[in-house]
Amino acid sequence: MIAHSTPRPAERRPVLRLAATLLVVTLPTTTLPLPAHAAEAVTPARASGVRKLVQDRAKPMMSSDPGGAAELLAGEAKKTKDPVLFIDAGEAYLAEGVAERDKAALTAAIEHASIGLDIAAFQQDPRCDPEWQHLDAGEFDREIARGKQVIEDSEKAIADLDKPVEAPPPVEEKKPEKGTPRDGRGLIAGGSLMTVVGVGGLAMIGAGLALSAKAQKDVEALDPSAIDFDAQLQDIDKKGKNANVVAYAGIGVAAVGLGVGIALLALGIKKRKAYRAEHGASETAGVHVTPALGYGYGGISLGGRF
């Protein structure tokens, strides 16, 4: 019995590609008559001159139309069998594939770079016609490295395109900073303080008016025939003026203190109610003002629950 082994398709493709590449490269050196062969010999210097003309045409297109540059380079590479132009075409197809997220262009980049590597490696073989060389020996390693990089980058780009698109991570809600809750208690405290200041102003008004009234009574009680009448009058008048200053100052303090304090209290209580309603609390804040009277004094009492 004779056993036959049939290569799998995955194993067959590299062999076929290499065979086709070798056939393409060797045809110009084996099918032409000797005079034509000598006239069309390819040297690295001649190949470099032809290559530069093609590269100069393709360079402006790389940024605006990499696909067009790739087609131009690939077409000239097939005409000249220049491995460098094949690798150039691979780079252009890679740029197009990355920009357009085009897997077909990335696959073309791998194919053209691989053909360029195959031709470059074949032309370095001692059995290759020395009059059919596109590369100097010093350029070989650089171009091989460039071709391999094109293949590696193209394969990575294809792998990235094949990755499933992951949903963005959920945005975490910002945790409230620890500290005093913003429930209006600061406004209520400030309003209470300013209200107390305003009440103090009312007390100053009352004290000033009382002192002024007492001075007026003292003046009326003076004896004009007394020797020190003028001195007593000046002293009482000075006390009356001081009482008026206290009263006027109290008016300003009371106006500012009560005006600002009551406004802050109203705003704070409103904010406090909204905060408690939002957080499910039923307790409410309140402020009350009541008269405070006693022997020798009078005023108001401020109280509240925050």
Side-chain angles (χ1 to χ4, degrees), residues 157-230:
I158 291 175
D160 291 340
L161 291 179
D162 290 337
K163 288 181 180 178
V165 179
E166 299 181 358
V171 179
E172 296 183 1
E173 295 183 1
K174 187 177 180 180
K175 297 181 179 179
E177 297 180 0
K178 294 183 179 180
T180 304
R182 298 180 179 180
D183 55 359
R185 68 178 63 183
L187 294 173
I188 294 174
S192 301
L193 178 61
M194 291 301 297
T195 303
V196 170
V197 172
V199 171
L202 292 177
M204 291 173 63
I205 295 173
L209 292 176
L211 292 173
S212 180
K214 183 177 182 302
Q216 183 64 35
K217 290 180 180 181
D218 291 341
V219 169
E220 293 175 355
L222 286 177
D223 183 3
S225 61
I227 298 175
D228 58 347
F229 173 79
D230 292 338

